[in-house]
Amino acid sequence: MSYKIAVIPGDGIGPEIVRQAQRVLDAAAARFGFELNYTSLLMGGASIDANGVPLTEETVAIAKASDAVLMGSIGGDAKTSPWYQLPPDRRPEAGLLGIRKALNLFANLRPAYLYEELKAACPLSDEVIGDGFDMMIVRELTGGLYFGERHTETVDGLRTATDTLVYNENEIRRIAIKAFEIARKRRKKVCSVDKANVLDSSRLWRAVVEEVAKDYPDIELSHMLVDNCAMQLVKDPAQFDVILTKNMFGDILSDEASMVTGSIGMLSSASLNETKFGLYEPSHGSAPDIAGKGIANPIATILSAAMLLHYSLDQDEAATAIENAVKQVLSEGYRTVDIMSEGCERVGTEKMGELIAARV
Ligand code: NAD
């Protein structure tokens, strides 16, 4: 089996961490007998420097023709980088929004997993942490409040702003299907989060999710109001497997869930469309403050590569081998600077990639 992977190294630490993720992917491909063919693409600041724009049609076309996209992170230091002297639609981040739109990536997946070895970084008490937690937030990414009509006007002499929250049943159905499919690869539980006691869009959300659930009798569905979910994430995070939610709620809850794991360099993410295609990237940014120093933690990108194997290539065994290799390296006491603790051995970006690849 052979797959086409578009690789967008990006800016800042992007190229350093993506190189290590490719190294680990190559180790997995060699062990599990498949082939990965990479095409490197420019986006963000690197594309501005080379092409004058953050995203070219060529990048979009090659990404579209691939089985999946692996990305580092894009952007620079907003205070010092000349990229941020450009108009907003020509800055690095415009490339990211543009490619998400062009590839119709409506489903955003953000796992929050607590590694036993990194428990000390978790801000929750030992009592709450218990045996740890492992959840996946599935957030609708291209509809809802962030994409509705908005305007500001003066009404009766008062400045008045309006944002609209619109979802149609098809938009809800397709993200619900994603969540149920993902739950099938996990512990088979979906908690749909809404505000159905107040919002019409949430009442429709709940109704459509229940309709979809009928096709997934093996999955346990529950509903939770978003305010309660925000509390439950810090009170009893272990209760969650897959959390399904709309754009704005997912934006807030996924940051909350990731912060309770305590370490930004460990958090992967995926954005998927209706097919198996997806774009995989770490949740963190391009960390310009440490770029080029060889100290960035590549694990978020390596775990994003594992998600790529799970969700776009269905190479579940290879993906699990990568996840286990990460656990093993942590349990052997190797740490990059951001997750360093007493008694552990500090390693750089490249060494961390090498250690994980060797254990795949
Ligand atoms: P950031 O996530 O890049 O960095 C925040 C802090 O975390 C920094 O101190 C950084 O050194 C550290 N950090 C981040 N990733 C790390 C890693 N893998 N290993 C070790 N330390 C790590 O956030 P920021 O500084 O607010 O943003 C920097 C740039 O990244 C900006 O241009 C921003 O727009 C961009 N950004 C891009 C994405 C993306 O590509 N999806 C996401 C967020 C931010």
Side-chain angles (χ1 to χ4, degrees):
M1 201 69 178
S2 138
Y3 304 99
K4 283 190 271 187
I5 309 295
V7 178
I8 302 176
D11 308 316
I13 60 170
E16 302 166 47
I17 53 182
V18 163
R19 211 173 295 128
Q20 299 314 312
Q22 280 183 260
R23 177 185 208 164
V24 172
L25 275 175
D26 286 340
R31 172 164 169 213
F32 292 92
F34 56 91
E35 199 179 311
L36 298 171
N37 298 306
Y38 304 105
T39 308
S40 187
L41 301 174
L42 294 178
M43 205 183 85
S47 176
I48 295 173
D49 289 346
N51 308 309
V53 289
L55 178 67
T56 60
E57 281 177 16
E58 190 196 2
T59 289
V60 171
I62 296 174
K64 265 188 185 163
S66 309
D67 293 301
V69 182
L70 176 68
M71 200 177 99
S73 32
I74 50 114
D77 185 329
K79 286 199 190 106
T80 57
S81 166
W83 299 329
Y84 295 92
Q85 304 302 319
L86 296 165
D89 63 342
R90 302 258 308 279
R91 291 180 192 169
E93 288 70 15
L96 189 57
L97 293 179
I99 201 164
R100 281 182 183 155
K101 197 168 167 210
L103 301 175
N104 194 24
L105 303 172
F106 67 87
N108 183 237
L109 276 52
R110 290 258 303 258
Y113 178 82
L114 186 68
Y115 287 89
E116 177 69 31
E117 295 76 14
L118 303 182
K119 265 186 177 175
C122 176
L124 304 178
S125 68
D126 285 349
E127 211 183 349
V128 171
I129 295 172
D131 292 333
F133 51 85
D134 175 5
M135 71 186 99
M136 177 75 83
I137 301 205
V138 178
R139 165 191 172 194
E140 202 289 326
L141 200 60
T142 55
L145 196 62
Y146 296 173
F147 289 85
E149 267 182 47
R150 65 178 61 98
H151 62 269
T152 304
E153 62 191 331
T154 301
V155 179
D156 296 335
L158 296 175
R159 285 175 299 156
T160 305
T162 306
D163 295 284
T164 49
L165 198 178
V166 181
Y167 271 113
N168 68 43
E169 59 181 308
N170 287 345
E171 291 170 314
I172 302 168
R173 192 171 293 111
R174 65 182 186 176
I175 188 76
I177 290 171
K178 278 281 181 220
F180 282 97
E181 291 290 333
I182 286 159
R184 272 201 170 144
K185 288 193 174 217
R186 297 173 47 95
R187 299 194 308 278
K188 301 191 169 45
K189 276 166 53 175
V190 171
C191 177
S192 174
V193 173
D194 60 34
K195 189 70 182 168
N197 54 342
V198 179
L199 301 173
D200 260 24
S201 54
S202 279
R203 285 189 274 272
L204 178 64
W205 180 278
R206 201 176 272 217
V208 175
V209 169
E210 296 212 333
E211 285 162 25
V212 172
K214 292 195 179 114
D215 293 331
Y216 295 87
D218 52 325
I219 307 292
E220 180 191 323
L221 170 67
S222 60
H223 300 280
M224 192 178 277
L225 296 176
V226 62
D227 39 349
N228 185 23
C229 183
M231 287 194 289
Q232 295 299 327
L233 280 172
V234 289
K235 194 168 161 238
D236 179 17
Q239 70 184 285
F240 297 110
D241 179 17
V242 173
I243 292 179
L244 160 66
T245 193
K246 52 182 76 173
N247 202 343
M248 182 183 64
F249 297 162
D251 187 10
I252 298 164
L253 296 176
S254 61
D255 268 17
E256 185 190 357
S258 61
M259 279 327 291
V260 298
T261 69
S263 41
I264 193 169
M266 302 290 297
L267 301 166
S268 54
S269 87
S271 302
L272 311 176
N273 71 11
E274 246 147 0
T275 68
K276 289 209 163 287
F277 180 86
L279 182 146
Y280 300 82
E281 57 178 324
S283 292
H284 59 72
S286 58
D289 52 335
I290 57 166
K293 294 186 177 163
I295 58 170
N297 185 350
I299 294 180
T301 319
I302 290 169
L303 292 172
S304 303
M307 289 181 86
L308 181 157
L309 296 176
H310 266 307
Y311 296 112
S312 283
L313 309 189
D314 274 327
Q315 292 285 352
D316 292 328
E317 270 188 290
T320 306
I322 292 178
E323 289 158 359
N324 288 339
V326 169
K327 283 183 200 156
Q328 195 183 332
V329 163
L330 292 176
S331 70
E332 288 169 17
Y334 296 105
R335 302 280 188 277
T336 44
V337 62
D338 56 312
I339 51 172
M340 186 62 191
S341 57
E342 229 183 292
C344 292
E345 181 173 342
R346 186 179 152 174
V347 296
T349 312
E350 205 177 322
K351 183 72 183 170
M352 184 55 99
E354 183 191 320
L355 289 165
I356 295 169
R359 280 149 188 78
V360 166

